[in-house]
Amino acid sequence: MRKPALGVAALATLAITATACGGGQPAAPSAAPTASTGATASAAQGGGKLVIWADPNRVKALKPFTAQFGTENGVTVEVKEISKDNQTTFLTASQQGSGPDIMIGAHDWIGNLVQNGAIDPVNLTEEQKAAFSEMALKAVTFGGQVYGAPYAMENIALIRNTDLAPDAPATIEDLIAKGAELKKAGKVKEVLCLPVGQKGDAFHSYPFFASGGGALFGATSTGDPDAKKVLVGSAESVKAFEKLKALGEKGDGALKTSITNENYIPSFAAKKCAFLVSGPWAMSEVKKGGFGYDITPVPAFEGGKPATPFVGVQAFFVAAKGKNKILAQEFVANYVTNKDVAKALYEADPRPPALTAVLTEVQAADPDAGKFMAAGKDGFPMPAIPEMAAIWEPFGIAEAAVVKGGDPAKAAEAAQKAVDGSLKN
């Protein structure tokens, strides 16, 4: 991990992954790995049932593979759909002894899940570890141990309607100028489609905040975030909030609280804006818009720092209090790491695969995946640190306040006090 100060989106422990748009039905598995004798022994020990919790898109993709796994191991595999407050639901069920054997979720849950004793390390071999993207493996590593089998990566980028804006903007200023020009000409309704909402959205606005010089925490000597050094109220962060205010409702009008996670992608697909800041989950709807598009890195402010995106990783976790832990380890370590499963998950929800061999195949068939990866090549995984739950809401409130035209210094100070109070600094 790099040593400069780290920003809020990189440090949030809340799951901030956007809702995926989904895709086609996955193909049936063609070459699943052979189950180990340990898995078979576990089936009898645990009552012959493996329970997996997943969101709707993963449920559809997994069913052909879980059925085959169940047949090969002589067990029943139940895939249960969880579509709301997945992390909290899992933690509550784990504490009550009613949770699954396997949970699927974002890597930035890990610190909180480990702190609550909800997941076990995943037993991957060195060969299996080497098959993953270095960034994906780093994301699921916490306290020196691997706590999940990664299967997909994601980061935001600038998605552009090339019919309206043929050239990629070199700077944020260029982006805003072009968007304003199109709006004045009546060709679009909005300068930029980036979600803010009433509570802020640090994940999507973070590249702008970082480019403006903002940061949330200092760093320890090892480059890890230092929760004792909160920087959201620092002079540098105030300047970054000032830049967000200048882009906001009483400035350029590019950032608006009326643009939300519910409407920003549909607005772009409907040609109401020429620029969209989003991730791979947006592409299904974008393609339905019927216009030319391109995917490039989010540009920086002129003379500013890089507009660094943060990389999120989706992973399979082994529940620490599951009833069939050995069988769960077998599925996560030796089945999820199979190429066919990774391909099916990609087809159901097109986010770049974590297995490098599958990513190479996907990039050859889908240039968009390669462009998203290129846009995130200088990013790094969001640290999965449990204390960061104290950061998310205060930062979002500060962001929304300045976008509405509020005083950046006051907003930053209020966020600083809220975080320090929560962390008892």
Side-chain angles (χ1 to χ4, degrees):
M1 183 178 293
R2 66 180 188 180
K3 292 187 178 180
L6 303 177
V8 60
L11 304 171
T13 57
L14 299 181
I16 55 179
T17 304
T19 302
C21 294
Q25 292 295 322
S30 58
T34 302
S36 70
T37 55
T40 305
S42 173
Q45 179 185 8
K49 186 175 183 180
L50 184 69
V51 179
I52 302 172
W53 284 8
D55 66 74
N57 284 318
R58 252 63 63 174
V59 168
K60 294 178 182 179
L62 280 171
K63 281 190 174 179
F65 294 92
T66 55
Q68 184 168 332
F69 181 83
T71 299
E72 291 177 354
N73 289 279
V75 299
T76 300
V77 182
E78 177 187 348
V79 185
K80 182 178 179 180
E81 182 177 308
I82 305 294
S83 58
K84 185 178 181 181
D85 299 326
N86 293 24
Q87 181 183 180
T88 301
T89 301
F90 172 58
L91 276 174
T92 301
S94 176
Q95 292 164 357
Q96 295 174 346
S98 59
D101 299 296
I102 295 169
M103 182 70 198
I104 303 174
H107 85 271
D108 55 319
W109 298 3
I110 291 176
N112 195 29
L113 297 183
V114 171
Q115 186 180 58
N116 284 279
I119 58 174
D120 284 340
V122 175
N123 302 322
L124 298 178
T125 66
E126 292 304 313
E127 183 179 358
Q128 288 172 325
K129 292 178 184 178
F132 289 111
S133 153
E134 182 179 350
M135 186 175 294
L137 187 64
K138 182 179 179 181
V140 296
T141 301
F142 183 80
Q145 297 192 78
V146 175
Y147 276 95
Y151 77 86
M153 300 177 289
E154 58 197 5
N155 56 265
I156 58 176
L158 180 67
I159 305 169
R160 186 177 86 257
N161 180 328
T162 55
D163 294 349
L164 295 171
D167 302 318
T171 64
I172 292 175
E173 288 84 357
D174 290 342
L175 185 159
I176 301 305
K178 182 62 177 179
E181 174 192 319
L182 291 169
K183 184 176 180 179
K184 185 177 181 180
K187 295 182 179 180
V188 298
K189 297 288 186 181
E190 303 290 353
V191 174
L192 169 66
C193 282
L194 183 153
V196 176
Q198 295 300 315
K199 296 182 179 180
D201 189 320
F203 180 64
H204 287 86
S205 65
Y206 182 77
F208 288 50
F209 182 75
S211 182
L216 191 63
F217 286 99
T220 65
S221 59
T222 59
D224 294 319
D226 188 346
K228 295 297 182 182
K229 297 179 181 178
V230 178
L231 299 179
V232 70
S234 68
E236 292 78 7
S237 290
V238 171
K239 289 179 181 178
F241 279 123
E242 287 173 351
K243 286 187 173 291
L244 293 184
K245 178 179 179 178
L247 297 177
E249 294 171 3
K250 294 186 178 179
D252 294 322
L255 300 179
K256 294 182 175 181
T257 55
S258 60
I259 300 177
T260 68
N261 270 291
E262 289 70 35
N263 64 32
Y264 82 124
I265 296 173
S267 292
F268 179 75
K271 306 178 186 179
K272 294 181 180 179
C273 51
F275 300 102
L276 170 72
V277 175
S278 191
W281 53 86
M283 296 316 298
S284 176
E285 195 159 355
V286 168
K287 291 176 181 178
K288 294 176 183 177
F291 50 80
Y293 67 86
D294 198 9
I295 301 164
T296 53
V298 176
F301 285 108
E302 184 175 356
K305 294 183 177 181
T308 313
F310 293 88
V311 179
V313 173
Q314 293 288 314
F316 285 73
F317 305 122
V318 174
K321 298 179 182 178
K323 296 179 175 63
N324 225 328
K325 292 170 66 171
I326 298 177
L327 191 64
Q329 282 283 353
E330 172 68 20
F331 185 87
V332 173
N334 296 325
Y335 214 77
V336 170
T337 54
N338 177 257
K339 287 176 62 177
D340 292 306
V341 178
K343 287 180 182 177
L345 289 169
Y346 173 79
E347 290 170 7
D349 180 18
R351 309 183 194 209
L355 282 172
T356 53
V358 180
L359 177 61
T360 299
E361 292 182 17
V362 165
Q363 287 177 327
D366 181 6
D368 291 350
K371 290 179 179 180
F372 273 111
M373 291 299 292
K377 67 181 179 63
D378 295 325
F380 58 91
M382 293 176 286
I385 301 174
E387 294 84 354
M388 297 310 109
I391 307 305
W392 193 245
E393 185 177 358
F395 184 91
I397 291 172
E399 177 200 354
V402 299
V403 166
K404 290 177 181 178
D407 182 86
K410 291 182 179 179
E413 181 183 9
Q416 175 91 22
K417 287 182 178 179
V419 175
D420 281 340
S422 181
L423 297 179
K424 295 180 173 59
N425 284 346

